[in-house]
Amino acid sequence: MAHQWRGLIAEYPDRLPFGEGDPVVTLREGGTPLVHAPALDARTGATVYVKVEGANPTGSFKDRGMTTAVSRVLQTGVKVVACASTGNTSASAAAYAVAAGLQSAVVLPAGKIAAGKLAQAIVHGATLVAVDGNFDDCLRIVRELTETHPVALVNSVNPYRLQGQKTAAFEIVDQLGDAPDIHVLPVGNAGNITAYWMGYSEYAGRTTLASLDETATRLPAASTKLPEMWGVQAWGAAPLVLGEPVDEPETVATAIRIGNPASWKYAEAARDDSHGWIDRVTDERILAAQAVLAAEVGVFVEPASAASVAGLIQAAEAGRVPQGATIVCTVTGNGLKDTATALGGREVDIDPIAPTVEAAVAALAL
């Protein structure tokens, strides 16, 4: 009988900070596809794979960290989880709260959330609070709230979030047989690049500043090398590139529209320790990469996800991609979360034809 994926905590029990008998909240997250993308090979001269995190239960990588964060909350007796969100975190927190029998509260920047993500939080029963401000304002409010009230913070500043998210690196090594030469990720709040570097380091038998469970680093190494970590920010929301916070971040890629990343220092450590870099790309490049992924690879992603691919293509055009390298790009969320952006400028009215094969043949110019 084929092995059925059981969720991250069950699949990697020795590498996560949970013991036998601890409560586990899972929607069978993880185990996402690693898809070879020949169209990106042709553009870069490398062998490129995309890690399709939109295949997680709520359609984004956030589920990896939410299973560990919410499972930990159940150990504490707290009954309410809260997050600041540009969309994906709210959807994931609300869904996992339902699975755990908890309440969820979402603080979000008014008018800055894609409709698909907002719908998810609503249908899962989250209490929504809209703030006349940006994501950084929302995170500040939530952090203060959870410090003074019996509410658990489940943003990526919660170290258990990173523990779940690091497992994507484990899966990539397991699927490829070793770590890639380069890993490229979108960077918003910077938790994901931090978590991947933690995961790769632990799988290679090394430690990182962000490690929470030091016992995980003493397990036998599963990989022989570490990748360079390449981070990509949107042009109008690139504090790590500019070296200072961005007060009014702006980009079509709403999931990375963040001006003061919570995991700033850890992201810099991942960049520096891996001999990688963090760069920025324009919205035009992000949308172009989104179109390439959809039309030439067969993977539909939300704009923020496409930032990793946009950054890789930009690097290739600048001669920065080593020929023949093995590269993985994480694409973080499903394109169905933001269809309005994907369809922007496209004509979607379709004139009906007569109900005959002949009419279909004519319409298809066969």
Side-chain angles (χ1 to χ4, degrees), residues 175-191:
Q175 289 166 312
L176 292 179
D178 207 338
D181 299 306
I182 297 165
H183 194 113
V184 194
L185 298 104
V187 175
N189 215 27

Side-chain angles (χ1 to χ4, degrees), residues 13 31 49 53 67 71 93 119 123 147 150 184 197 215 242 249 271 293 296 305 310 357 362:
Y49 298 85
E53 289 293 89
T67 183
S71 293
V123 299
E147 288 170 359
V184 194
W197 181 240
T215 63
L242 299 174
R271 175 198 65 196
L293 283 167
E296 300 182 37
S305 298
V357 172

